[in-house]
Amino acid sequence: MTDERLEQLLRAALPPASAEGPSRNLWPLIADRIEAPVAWSWLDMGVALVSAIALIMFPKGLLLLVYHL
């Protein structure tokens, strides 16, 4: 495949970039998410609980966990 053919394929696959900027300012949304308090989800609690139970049942697993951290 030649460079010209590759360029043609890429130009056909990708739309041209628009000269206009973004439709809105995204920085305030990012700043709000950074400053938002951290909340634990049910999934986080479940993973922590399963991990704690697994470490209680298999204490040698703690050595493996510490080794990988």
Side-chain angles (χ1 to χ4, degrees):
M1 181 179 293
T2 64
D3 290 340
E4 294 82 22
R5 178 71 178 141
L6 181 60
E7 183 180 350
Q8 289 173 352
L9 289 172
L10 285 173
R11 287 190 189 274
L14 300 173
S18 63
E20 63 186 56
S23 61
R24 59 187 176 150
N25 187 3
L26 296 177
W27 182 248
L29 295 174
I30 293 170
D32 290 342
R33 286 200 62 182
I34 291 171
E35 293 173 358
V38 176
W40 285 72
S41 69
W42 286 105
L43 180 64
D44 295 334
M45 295 293 219
V47 169
L49 182 65
V50 168
S51 300
I53 291 171
L55 287 175
I56 290 170
M57 290 177 62
F58 305 105
K60 288 186 180 180
L62 182 62
L63 295 174
L64 183 65
L65 180 66
V66 170
Y67 176 74
H68 286 288
L69 291 178

